[in-house]
Amino acid sequence: MRLTDHTDYSLRTLIYVAVHPDELVHVQSVADAFDIPKNHLVKIVQKLGQLGFLHTVRGRAGGIRLGRPPERIGLGDVVRAMEPDFAMVECFHQGDNACVITSACNLRGVLGEALRSYFAVLDRYTLADLVAQPAVLRRLLGDAAATIVPLTDLKVRKRVTQS
């Protein structure tokens, strides 16, 4: 089974943001770090935001941060939400299955069991498990972290504008 680029980039984005927990990350930083087209990444970030995995802040001082603690972002949840389809073969499609051997073939049962096992493994892990070595990950991500706005700076600006 292979994940779509959409899901792969979603997981990478969450990892990047998770290793910068006290900062508001620019989408461009993530795009630069992983060499992902920014326009494609914006759509992914929007969906991750709608699903509550990310919190997005619009505007000039905007960016993204995790929408919940990394311990509460399950990998199985992210993959289920971002992948468009888990029908591995035609017989998974109830309405338009034209396979002539479905009634006597056990393939659907075997692959269904494999898919359940796949998600059982993913469901045992969270984003926190992926970022257990944040210093190493930050170093590997390199200079892309230079365009990050610390959340403390954002809070100061908010306080000043509200006065």
Side-chain angles (χ1 to χ4, degrees):
M1 181 165 181
R2 181 181 174 149
L3 297 177
T4 62
D5 286 344
H6 193 80
T7 302
D8 178 19
Y9 297 163
S10 298
L11 292 167
R12 290 192 214 187
T13 299
L14 291 170
I15 290 168
Y16 188 96
V17 174
V19 299
H20 300 95
D22 299 322
E23 301 159 350
L24 196 57
V25 175
H26 293 162
V27 174
Q28 187 65 56
S29 298
V30 180
D32 291 344
F34 294 113
D35 196 27
I36 300 169
K38 182 181 176 189
N39 291 340
H40 188 61
L41 195 57
V42 166
K43 295 173 191 171
I44 291 168
V45 165
Q46 180 181 14
K47 185 168 182 182
L48 289 169
Q50 291 168 346
L51 294 167
F53 296 119
L54 289 177
H55 175 74
T56 59
V57 178
R58 291 182 179 254
R60 188 168 170 240
I64 55 176
R65 65 179 179 257
L66 291 181
R68 57 185 103 144
E71 301 81 23
R72 291 190 46 228
I73 298 177
L75 298 185
D77 294 336
V78 174
V79 171
R80 282 182 190 91
M82 302 308 284
E83 279 295 308
D85 185 7
F86 293 102
M88 299 167 73
V89 289
E90 183 179 350
C91 57
F92 275 42
H93 297 278
Q94 300 291 13
D96 61 350
N97 176 14
C99 181
V100 297
I101 63 169
T102 298
S103 62
C105 176
N106 292 322
L107 181 61
R108 180 171 51 187
V110 170
L111 291 178
E113 181 182 348
L115 187 59
R116 287 187 298 279
S117 295
Y118 174 78
F119 278 112
V121 170
L122 288 177
D123 289 339
R124 290 195 317 249
Y125 296 94
T126 67
L127 181 58
D129 295 311
L130 299 184
V131 297
Q133 298 179 21
V136 174
L137 289 168
R138 283 180 77 131
R139 188 175 65 248
L140 291 170
L141 290 167
D143 294 335
T147 58
I148 295 170
V149 177
L151 286 178
T152 53
D153 290 353
L154 181 66
K155 290 176 186 173
V156 169
R157 277 187 236 145
K158 279 187 171 179
R159 242 183 265 127
V160 170
T161 58
Q162 291 175 353
S163 301

